[in-house]
Amino acid sequence: MKLNPEAVRRRGNDMPNCVEIPVRGEPEIVSFLVNQEARVTIYCETGTISIGRIAPWETKPTIRHIFRRNISQLDVVERFLRNPPQLTSIDSSLVIQPDGDQENENENIQRVKTLQSNLELMDVGIAILEGERDKLKDHVQHLQPIEPSKNNANNGAEGMEFQFSLPAEPMKHVDQCLRDISAMGRLVKSVSTNGKGTVFLYGNGGVAYTPSIPRPLYHKLSQLRKTKNRESRPSYVALSTRDRFFVSFHDGTFAFKGPKGLEKELRKAKQPPASVAFGTTYDTFFVVFKDGSWKYEGRGIPEELQLKLEDRQERADLKCVNLGPAGEWFLRAKNGRMWWGGISEEMDQSIQMLLDDGHCLSFLDFGETGSYFISYD
């Protein structure tokens, strides 16, 4: 057991902003209502912390969860209890809408304002959060560290750890993927999400995915179920909004949907890409090749990212770059140094907690409505 339940209970009950919520029949689970607005549940056996809040921008009361795994220190628990991460909605003015969607967008904004002004969050929130206990327990059970199978030498040397935030419906499908991967005794090697859909690469060529990934990619991955040839399986996947995606395979081939500029760069390149990212506009992309060289085009490249590239004298030493639907960006060089920007306060807070705990970031992925995956070791 990673945490002592009684020690966690004492620490929380000593804090004036915490009110313990009894969890019947589960002595290793401790739960608190914090600041009368968030439910923080600590699963002491696995060291997982779940923060549940109502997402006020949704048209009906909806719970969004943030998860942090493998916590073993009471001081880290106390930080979450003192200041639980906030949910962040994306300002619609920051996202370029397709023609004809502005009227609907204005209606959505008005509905959000009405909900925020009229909804009594405390009373509704407590009732909903109480009903989420069993779902959270089941969810965390399936997020326990995935160990390699002793009978399979091709599982891969190591897996990634993740902290992530997703809407409730996509979370259900992510649960199922993690459950299936865990049942096979495999380790997750990488994750790609656009907020609605998520793809997991695991073991030695394994792939799991949720239903709401881009339809052409869904059909392509579905066809792979008929073959056991590792060379035909995905080695890298990138998802984005507007059904854009990129997937490369172990045999050196690739498939994608995106701007024509990306197709031009990929066709003339004499080497496979190491990473592909899509930006806020359909024509925006950033591709990094395995030798560290890179190329980008489009109106949606974040200015901060451009300045960072210039500050680094545009060196061809990149490992990967990622872009998000609301101007987020992540840059990693081959020497291990990383930079990022345009992220939500919630995600920034999650990253800072991981760094304070001594973890090393590996990758940041961004999805719609502030969704994210943080990969770390």
Side-chain angles (χ1 to χ4, degrees):
M1 187 170 293
K2 290 183 176 291
L3 292 165
N4 184 312
E6 290 306 316
V8 171
R9 186 170 285 107
R10 287 195 300 270
R11 187 69 66 100
N13 287 330
D14 287 341
M15 301 173 65
N17 65 324
C18 295
V19 177
E20 184 174 359
I21 301 174
V23 181
R24 297 183 181 87
E26 301 290 348
E28 77 282 1
I29 300 176
V30 184
S31 188
F32 297 95
L33 181 65
V34 180
N35 299 328
Q36 298 183 340
E37 62 182 28
R39 180 167 181 170
V40 178
T41 302
I42 301 97
Y43 298 82
C44 298
E45 184 173 352
T46 62
T48 299
I49 296 179
S50 166
I51 300 93
R53 288 182 181 271
I54 292 178
W57 59 85
E58 301 288 355
T59 55
K60 61 180 181 179
T62 302
I63 297 296
R64 281 281 297 270
H65 304 296
I66 303 169
F67 292 90
R68 174 73 180 277
R69 301 170 57 191
N70 291 332
I71 302 298
S72 58
Q73 299 178 1
L74 285 175
D75 288 344
V76 177
V77 174
E78 182 173 334
R79 286 212 305 270
F80 275 93
L81 292 175
R82 288 192 182 280
N83 188 23
Q86 296 285 335
L87 298 180
T88 303
S89 63
I90 301 300
D91 186 342
S92 61
S93 66
L94 300 178
V95 183
I96 296 178
Q97 299 290 334
D99 294 340
D101 285 353
Q102 189 61 49
E103 182 177 351
N104 291 335
E105 186 63 20
N106 290 336
E107 292 178 359
N108 289 337
I109 293 173
Q110 185 59 44
R111 285 200 299 270
V112 170
K113 290 180 178 179
T114 301
L115 176 63
Q116 289 174 320
S117 62
N118 295 333
L119 184 63
E120 296 180 0
L121 286 177
M122 178 180 173
D123 293 339
V124 176
I126 293 175
I128 295 176
L129 288 169
E130 282 282 4
E132 290 290 306
R133 181 184 68 84
D134 292 337
K135 294 180 182 179
L136 288 172
K137 177 189 173 186
D138 181 66
H139 176 81
V140 173
Q141 286 176 341
H142 301 307
L143 291 182
Q144 295 182 26
I146 303 171
E147 299 296 336
S149 171
K150 295 180 180 179
N151 298 323
N152 192 331
N154 295 322
N155 288 333
E158 57 181 336
M160 300 302 303
E161 290 289 346
F162 307 101
Q163 181 162 330
F164 54 94
S165 177
L166 292 170
E169 188 62 28
M171 182 72 78
K172 296 178 183 178
H173 300 297
V174 167
D175 279 349
Q176 186 61 54
C177 285
L178 290 169
R179 185 181 310 177
D180 293 342
I181 295 170
S182 178
M184 292 184 288
R186 304 299 176 86
L187 294 171
V188 177
K189 289 188 171 182
S190 67
V191 178
S192 181
T193 190
N194 60 11
K196 292 182 178 179
T198 303
V199 176
F200 297 87
L201 300 184
Y202 63 87
N204 190 24
V207 57
Y209 47 92
T210 64
S212 296
I213 63 175
R215 191 55 46 185
L217 177 61
Y218 183 90
H219 290 315
K220 195 165 193 67
L221 295 181
S222 297
Q223 294 172 358
L224 297 179
R225 295 177 178 176
K226 302 176 182 179
T227 177
K228 295 183 178 180
N229 181 10
R230 179 182 180 275
E231 293 302 307
S232 64
R233 291 185 169 271
S235 58
Y236 171 79
V237 177
L239 300 182
S240 186
T241 56
R242 304 189 191 182
D243 280 341
R244 291 171 293 174
F245 72 90
F246 176 88
V247 55
S248 58
F249 301 91
H250 287 283
D251 61 7
T253 61
F254 60 85
F256 74 97
K257 179 182 178 182
K260 292 183 178 180
L262 174 61
E263 180 178 8
K264 178 181 177 181
E265 292 299 325
L266 293 176
R267 297 300 180 191
K268 73 179 184 180
K270 297 181 180 180
Q271 56 181 314
S275 75
V276 176
F278 302 94
T280 56
T281 62
Y282 192 86
D283 66 322
T284 300
F285 69 88
F286 199 118
V287 57
V288 177
F289 296 99
K290 291 192 175 181
D291 66 355
S293 61
W294 46 272
K295 176 72 175 180
Y296 70 79
E297 287 184 7
R299 297 167 291 145
I301 295 294
E303 183 178 358
E304 277 186 315
L305 174 57
Q306 291 177 308
L307 293 174
K308 176 54 65 177
L309 293 169
E310 293 173 4
D311 183 58
R312 301 186 71 252
Q313 300 178 344
E314 300 187 343
R315 293 197 294 271
D317 65 344
L318 301 187
K319 182 174 183 179
C320 64
V321 168
N322 200 18
L323 303 173
E328 307 96 331
W329 61 274
F330 172 76
L331 166 67
R332 180 171 182 172
K334 287 193 171 185
N335 63 7
R337 295 197 65 187
M338 288 170 277
W339 301 265
W340 56 86
I343 63 176
S344 67
E345 182 180 351
E346 172 194 327
M347 188 175 188
D348 184 62
Q349 188 177 43
S350 297
I351 291 172
Q352 192 57 53
M353 285 185 174
L354 289 170
L355 296 177
D356 290 345
D357 291 343
H359 295 291
C360 296
L361 300 185
S362 177
F363 189 70
L364 305 182
D365 206 7
F366 317 104
E368 295 180 351
T369 64
S371 302
Y372 62 81
F373 261 86
I374 304 171
S375 303
Y376 66 94
D377 52 29

